[in-house]
Amino acid sequence: MILEDGTIFEGERFGAEASVVGEVVFTTSMTGYQETITDQSFNGQIITFTYPMVGNYGINRDDYESIAPTCKGVVVKEHARLASNWRNQMTLDEFLKRKGIPGIAGIDTRALTKKLRSAGTMKGSIVDPADQLDHSFDQLKATVLPTNQVAQVSTVTPYPSPGVGRNVVVIDFGLKHSILRELSRRECNLTVMPYNTDAQTILDLCPDGVMLTNGPGDPKDVPEAIEMIKQIQGKVPIFGICLGHQLFALANGADTYKMKFGHRGLNHPVREIATGKIDFTSQNHGFAVAEKTIDPQKLMITHVEVNDGTIEGIRHRDFPAFSVQYHPDAAPGPHDGVHLFDDFMEMMDAWKEQA
């Protein structure tokens, strides 16, 4: 594995035999590697796992967050060749081979993570040792990472997930299946729409609420979604998660910025300002909302990250709309924030009563 700053890590290949280039990031999750790899928010990225052993419980049918993962590669300290779990259907190695994703094991993931923390995320490449390294470095430096990640992972065609309760339109920016699971548990009747759906098409469905999902990349690369949010807020309740949170902030005049190395893991403490309650949360994002750009006449800050003070939640002062930077759907846990889905249900019910 090579990094754009000239660093070289030698390891053992597993998974697909392919050379790839992507943004190298790290996650501090101690479990949930299947959910992580299949999370479309990792589109185009090479995922470094800080937990030393990955693959020991295999791959199962229940923990997919998408069917066709689009991360570029997987980096681990130790790859477990033997998977032992009653739900196991295949090994991690076999899964990555089927999905065309290369992995590299046996490298010093602690050293790599410390480099990313000090220098920030950077381009990297997993290459075959037989390749000429000088040529590989030249290719790596010349590669321009794509900015259309949302278009790559969003559904192209609208589709329903039928229920018997509240009618919710889900805007797919790269959704995790766990979002659909939580809404389905609350018997919502779901219609999943592409990322570039216009406001009128959404409103024509007469939704009780709109969910803005997670997704990859820079929120400023999705201007059509920002315009759509401007046009629907105040007309229908809105709940945004992760990228949806950033887009909601942009639609209300705030700004976003690229973080040095982002938040990726399952152990991020978030404080609710109103109550002081701390939730441990699942997070996966490389951009954040800039606090100083938030207009206090429009938006109220509801949650902050305990470790670095970044904005983790906002609520509109005039309209039934709120968003959080973390993943209340978890998958894997912790599940401390799952109550936000219930808050969304209550918001939709209250709005309907006033109509």
Side-chain angles (χ1 to χ4, degrees):
M1 180 176 179
I2 59 176
L3 303 180
E4 62 179 310
D5 69 350
T7 305
I8 300 174
F9 292 93
E10 295 184 3
E12 177 184 353
R13 184 191 295 278
F14 68 102
E17 293 187 6
S19 295
V20 295
V21 175
E23 182 184 36
V24 184
V25 300
F26 68 88
T27 174
T28 56
S29 302
M30 296 178 67
T31 185
Y33 54 81
Q34 181 177 343
E35 294 95 324
T36 298
I37 293 170
T38 58
D39 181 352
Q40 296 288 13
S41 295
F42 282 108
N43 172 269
Q45 295 178 329
I46 298 173
I47 309 169
T48 302
F49 288 89
T50 62
Y51 192 71
M53 176 181 284
V54 176
N56 54 312
Y57 55 85
I59 299 292
N60 67 79
R61 69 177 186 179
D62 300 324
D63 292 339
Y64 288 98
E65 289 302 317
S66 68
I67 300 301
T70 57
C71 66
K72 286 291 187 179
V74 173
V75 182
V76 301
K77 172 64 176 175
E78 182 178 353
H79 161 235
R81 292 170 175 79
L82 177 64
S84 178
N85 185 275
W86 66 273
R87 295 192 303 164
N88 173 48
Q89 293 178 303
M90 69 182 80
T91 65
L92 175 61
D93 178 55
E94 183 181 358
F95 173 73
L96 293 180
K97 282 184 168 69
R98 292 187 180 189
K99 299 301 181 180
I101 301 171
I104 182 171
I107 74 168
D108 189 343
T109 51
R110 175 173 290 186
L112 174 56
T113 300
K114 289 177 69 176
K115 175 172 284 293
L116 296 176
R117 284 183 60 88
S118 60
T121 57
M122 64 181 75
K123 288 188 296 184
S125 182
I126 297 176
V127 299
D128 191 283
D131 295 343
Q132 292 292 327
L133 282 182
D134 289 343
H135 179 63
S136 296
F137 273 115
D138 289 341
Q139 286 187 315
L140 174 60
K141 293 175 182 177
T143 299
V144 178
L145 298 179
T147 59
N148 65 335
Q149 294 103 312
V150 171
Q152 292 180 31
V153 299
S154 175
T155 184
V156 176
T157 305
Y159 63 91
S161 179
V164 295
R166 304 167 186 88
N167 182 30
V168 178
V169 170
V170 180
I171 308 300
D172 177 13
F173 300 113
L175 66 80
K176 295 173 65 181
H177 288 178
S178 51
I179 293 177
L180 300 183
R181 292 189 195 105
E182 290 300 333
L183 293 171
S184 294
R185 284 191 180 115
R186 290 156 180 82
E187 299 185 336
C188 291
N189 181 52
L190 308 179
T191 305
V192 182
M193 305 292 287
Y195 78 98
N196 55 357
T197 304
D198 64 85
Q200 192 57 54
T201 300
I202 295 170
L203 296 174
D204 285 346
L205 293 171
C206 300
D208 296 315
V210 173
M211 166 66 71
L212 309 174
T213 76
N214 65 292
D218 186 340
K220 294 176 183 176
D221 291 332
V222 200
E224 54 268 73
I226 298 171
E227 186 59 32
M228 175 271 291
I229 295 168
K230 290 179 181 179
Q231 294 179 31
I232 67 169
Q233 64 181 8
K235 300 175 183 177
V236 61
I238 297 173
F239 180 18
I241 293 174
C242 199
L243 182 66
H245 159 78
Q246 297 160 16
L247 291 168
F248 175 60
L250 288 171
N252 285 282
D255 196 11
T256 56
Y257 64 94
K258 185 174 176 60
M259 305 172 76
K260 188 173 183 180
F261 49 82
H263 291 164
R264 297 175 180 88
L266 313 178
N267 51 0
H268 290 267
V270 169
R271 182 174 68 251
E272 184 179 31
I273 294 175
T275 63
K277 178 187 176 184
I278 304 293
D279 284 343
F280 282 90
T281 65
S282 173
Q283 300 199 18
N284 176 15
H285 62 103
F287 290 82
V289 177
E291 179 178 2
K292 293 181 179 180
T293 67
I294 294 176
D295 182 353
Q297 301 302 314
K298 285 186 177 181
L299 300 175
M300 175 175 61
I301 300 172
T302 58
H303 298 77
V304 294
E305 218 270 8
V306 173
N307 290 325
D308 61 13
T310 50
I311 303 303
E312 291 288 337
I314 53 178
R315 181 180 293 269
H316 204 288
R317 291 191 179 274
D318 299 321
F319 305 139
F322 71 100
S323 63
V324 290
Q325 182 63 78
Y326 55 94
H327 291 266
D329 52 288
H335 300 275
D336 295 13
V338 74
H339 63 88
L340 292 177
F341 286 94
D342 297 319
D343 294 346
F344 185 40
M345 302 299 116
E346 294 174 4
M347 174 183 285
M348 288 188 286
D349 292 345
W351 176 259
K352 202 168 184 178
E353 289 176 3
Q354 295 173 5

